[in-house]
Amino acid sequence: MGFKWEGLSHRVTPMRIALFYALIGEVWILLSDHLLGFIVTDHQLYLRLEMAKGWLFIAATALFLYFLFQREYNTLRRYEKELQKDRENLERYRLLSEDTLDLILFIRPDGQIIDANEAAVKRYGYTRQELTNMPLYKLCLPEDKLSVQQYLKKAPQGIQLESRHIAKDGSAFPVDICAKGATSNGKPIIVSIIRDISKRKKAEELLTHQAQHDALTGLPNRYFFNESLCQALTQSRNKNGKLAVMFLDLDRFKLINDTMGHNLGDQLLKKVAERVGQNLRAGDTLARLGGDEFLILLPDIRNDQEVVFVSERILKVLTQPIIIEGNEVYMTTSIGISLYPNDGSDMETLVKQADTAMYFAKEKGRNNYQFFNHELNIKANERLTTEYSLRKALAREEFVLHYQPQVDLESGCIVGLEALVRWQSKERGIVPPTAFIPIAEETGLIVPIGEWVLRAACIQNVAWQLQGYPPMRMSVNISARQFREVNFIKVVSGILEETGMDAHLLELEITESVAMENGAASTEKLSRFKELGIRISIDDFGTGFSSLNYLRRMPIDTLKIDQSFIRDISSDQNGEEVVTAIIQLAKNLRLKVIAEGVETNTQWSFLKNQKCDEMQGFLFSKAVTSEEAEMLFEGPII
Ligand code: C2E
Ligand code: CA
Ligand code: CA
């Protein structure tokens, strides 16, 4: 540590002191000699006084120098001591700070970094020398320069904030900063504790991503969709813009998933998501709600036609077969659309309305789209009330069975009965199945209702047996949804066991499409019923498009000619030909054939001539209660 002149009083520089000294000396010599010559005339005295004057000058200047140096020396000592203390103080801070993973900077109130801990040196990548000689803003992003000023102002009172810092190599990293004012030997400094939160940020981002995205397809989920919709709505309101929400649901996906396995089902969903995504406009949001349900947000639409165009394109690309592990899978889709602005458009209703519209799209048949409108609203409300009261009906056991006899055309004897369900509603009176079975199907309520029907029919049949009536077949209608249930066979065999019903007397009526759809799996299921001794009848035969090849291989017992063809007998329509053809087909396949909806004698005699096996219809009896049926059993035969 060398001698430092900066320690001296600011105004007195060494040069000034020297000049001042020279000037005083010169003036003293010139003036004092003149003065002395003027006052003293005696030469001897003059010489002595001259000598004394010299001594006096030297003594005065020596004294002056002594005081000068003494003062400056003291200042210097004090400064040195202070500096030492400062260093010791900071050193103490730093020693404390070395133990932590946090980066610690000691900053002067003007923003100059004066010291840093080892962690900071390492993380920023500067040498300690570099770091302790740079202003704080050099560690911040250029756009944060202003906030550095703010920071310096507020830090002494204590401040906590998140920001980004840059290391020497130019890489930026997120930081959490906690700063506080401190004094180091009476002088204010800022101690800034900085935590590198890269890892935490990454984890947070991952978590929010996961919270907002669907794990299977990587698409946004409902949560994310709602956020986007919320934003889009605000924008639309400001701009008077239009937007559309699409609700997309794959037809029969559950069936495919159940039969092909969930792994393939997952792959299918991924491919569907991909295809839909490729056919949207830039700026549209595709989200997966779960299962086979997707939502699409289309902001900034010009007109309905644009939405129609997108819907038709999606429907079209999704009908093209999807190849999964070598299998060609054919899919169709139903799309419901709601538009903003419309009657009650807030976020939730828009999604709900699109959902409702989707249901009605499905009702139109597969591969359709449907806009939400007021009419749908009314229908949807009706549906909701029906669904609600159906649930209650199930709990209160408001269902009853009516039985319609099936008569052998040859003998005219009742050989079987079809169980037909009725809903005896407290509020609505007797409700026909056509008014509630479709809703029960869609909501899945048909499964418990169907189980109830099956059990009630079996119990009645056993009761009639016990009462001594001749054995009669009991036909029970099975809906598509029921038939597809994975444990359907178990349910049926369970009911047989529990009621003591003879399996050979039970006949299940399923429609053509249910029997045909997803061929192998259905055939397999039907075979299991055969093994149990249960009979299978194809209901409404002739209305579907059965492949004769399939029909030949199906383990079925009866074809039930659809009523529409019977009605067309002896009319201008070609009903007679169709009925004849079906009866021939049944004979060829060695199946029993029954005509339903027989109302007239003409129909009856035509069927008898064609050797139709059985008939069912108002001509003989409508569906009646069990007591009424008993009277028919006892009454005269036709
Ligand atoms: P379906 O299986 O084709 O039943 C025949 C329907 O035609 C019955 O109507 C029956 O009353 C009616 N019908 C019988 N003979 C004649 C006739 O000579 N002329 C006319 N015009 N109609 C006749 P229903 O009982 O109203 O049942 C309607 C449909 O509801 C049934 O059609 C069936 O698809 C369904 N259904 C009825 N009960 C059940 C059930 O327990 N489960 C399921 N899944 N569906 C059922
Ligand atoms: Ca039927
Ligand atoms: Ca039928």
Side-chain angles (χ1 to χ4, degrees), residues 251-266 268 324-325 327-331 480-481 483-487 514-526 550:
D251 302 322
R252 298 189 310 138
F253 176 76
K254 191 181 179 304
L255 183 68
I256 293 174
N257 205 30
D258 288 347
T259 50
M260 288 180 36
H262 288 242
N263 184 22
L264 293 191
D266 282 357
L268 187 65
I324 288 166
E325 296 189 357
N327 300 312
E328 276 192 358
V329 184
Y330 287 84
M331 294 284 331
R481 182 108 176 217
F483 186 73
R484 284 182 207 141
E485 282 287 298
V486 196
N487 63 347
V514 172
M516 296 299 150
E517 101 186 342
N518 144 63
S522 293
T523 314
E524 161 75 23
K525 227 174 213 179
L526 292 177
Y550 250 140

Side-chain angles (χ1 to χ4, degrees), residues 130-317:
E130 286 172 319
L131 197 58
T132 53
N133 273 308
M134 66 167 56
L136 176 65
Y137 74 80
K138 285 219 166 140
L139 296 177
C140 302
L141 294 171
E143 63 260 36
D144 286 345
K145 233 178 179 175
L146 260 176
S147 29
V148 172
Q149 297 303 320
Q150 292 275 330
Y151 163 82
L152 290 171
K153 224 193 259 171
K154 286 185 191 156
Q157 284 86 51
I159 187 173
Q160 210 247 326
L161 72 154
E162 271 189 23
S163 183
R164 289 169 75 76
H165 274 183
I166 335 172
K168 191 180 183 181
D169 61 10
S171 60
F173 55 98
V175 289
D176 181 74
I177 304 172
C178 188
K180 240 189 141 171
T183 42
S184 178
N185 198 29
K187 274 185 244 138
I189 59 162
I190 297 165
V191 180
S192 196
I193 300 171
I194 297 148
R195 186 161 292 178
D196 177 355
I197 51 169
S198 307
K199 275 196 195 133
R200 195 182 84 197
K201 273 273 146 162
K202 230 176 241 157
E204 271 173 15
E205 269 161 30
L206 191 73
L207 279 179
T208 26
H209 184 89
Q210 275 173 344
Q212 297 187 334
H213 288 79
D214 162 49
L216 177 66
T217 58
L219 289 178
N221 60 14
R222 172 171 235 141
Y223 175 76
F224 183 92
F225 183 87
N226 282 348
E227 303 249 298
S228 310
L229 179 55
C230 200
Q231 274 176 18
L233 271 177
T234 335
Q235 278 171 12
S236 291
R237 274 182 204 121
N238 296 340
K239 284 192 300 190
N240 271 335
K242 274 185 130 190
L243 64 83
V245 172
M246 277 185 191
F247 199 110
L248 205 134
D249 186 283
L250 303 181
D251 302 322
R252 298 189 310 138
F253 176 76
K254 191 181 179 304
L255 183 68
I256 293 174
N257 205 30
D258 288 347
T259 50
M260 288 180 36
H262 288 242
N263 184 22
L264 293 191
D266 282 357
Q267 289 186 46
L268 187 65
L269 284 174
K270 274 197 230 173
K271 296 234 163 129
V272 165
E274 221 170 83
R275 257 188 215 185
V276 175
Q278 282 161 359
N279 284 282
L280 295 178
R281 313 163 316 157
D284 293 346
T285 305
L286 169 64
R288 181 174 169 231
L289 280 182
D292 59 345
E293 294 179 338
F294 296 85
L295 275 177
I296 306 171
L297 168 65
L298 301 102
D300 305 319
I301 51 163
R302 276 160 294 181
N303 47 42
D304 299 3
Q305 203 47 45
E306 199 178 354
V307 186
V308 168
F309 182 74
V310 176
S311 312
E312 282 177 349
R313 198 166 55 198
I314 293 174
L315 291 183
K316 195 170 152 217
V317 294

Side-chain angles (χ1 to χ4, degrees), residues 547-555 585 589:
S547 123
L548 286 187
N549 248 338
Y550 250 140
L551 205 59
R552 191 163 291 139
R553 280 186 272 135
M554 286 278 192
L585 177 71
L589 297 175

Side-chain angles (χ1 to χ4, degrees), residues 339-362:
L339 293 170
Y340 171 87
N342 73 17
D343 297 344
S345 27
D346 64 62
M347 197 178 78
E348 255 165 61
T349 33
L350 274 171
V351 174
K352 242 185 234 155
Q353 288 171 344
D355 184 10
T356 307
M358 189 276 296
Y359 261 105
F360 286 95
K362 263 201 205 300

Side-chain angles (χ1 to χ4, degrees), residues 61-99:
T61 50
L63 208 62
F64 169 71
L65 278 176
Y66 169 78
F67 282 114
L68 186 71
F69 283 126
Q70 182 62 43
R71 205 189 83 185
E72 296 309 324
Y73 180 74
N74 281 346
T75 315
L76 208 66
R77 278 296 302 268
R78 216 173 35 241
Y79 177 78
E80 284 265 271
K81 258 194 211 151
E82 267 177 28
L83 211 64
Q84 192 56 34
K85 253 197 214 156
D86 269 6
R87 270 168 215 291
E88 277 166 13
N89 257 323
L90 268 182
E91 190 68 21
R92 229 177 321 168
Y93 275 128
R94 204 172 71 207
L95 282 176
L96 274 174
S97 70
E98 293 306 356
D99 267 353

Side-chain angles (χ1 to χ4, degrees), residues 418-420 475-478 509-510 539-540 560 596 616:
E418 179 178 5
L420 293 158
S475 296
V476 177
N477 291 285
I478 302 300
E509 289 194 10
I510 59 173
D539 205 355
D540 304 339
K560 196 167 188 183
E596 68 175 328
Q616 177 184 343

Side-chain angles (χ1 to χ4, degrees), residues 404 418 421-422 433 453 477 539-540 563 596-597 599 617-618:
Q404 188 176 34
E418 179 178 5
V421 70
R422 304 286 179 260
V453 168
N477 291 285
D539 205 355
D540 304 339
Q563 334 193 347
E596 68 175 328
E599 294 179 349
F618 293 169

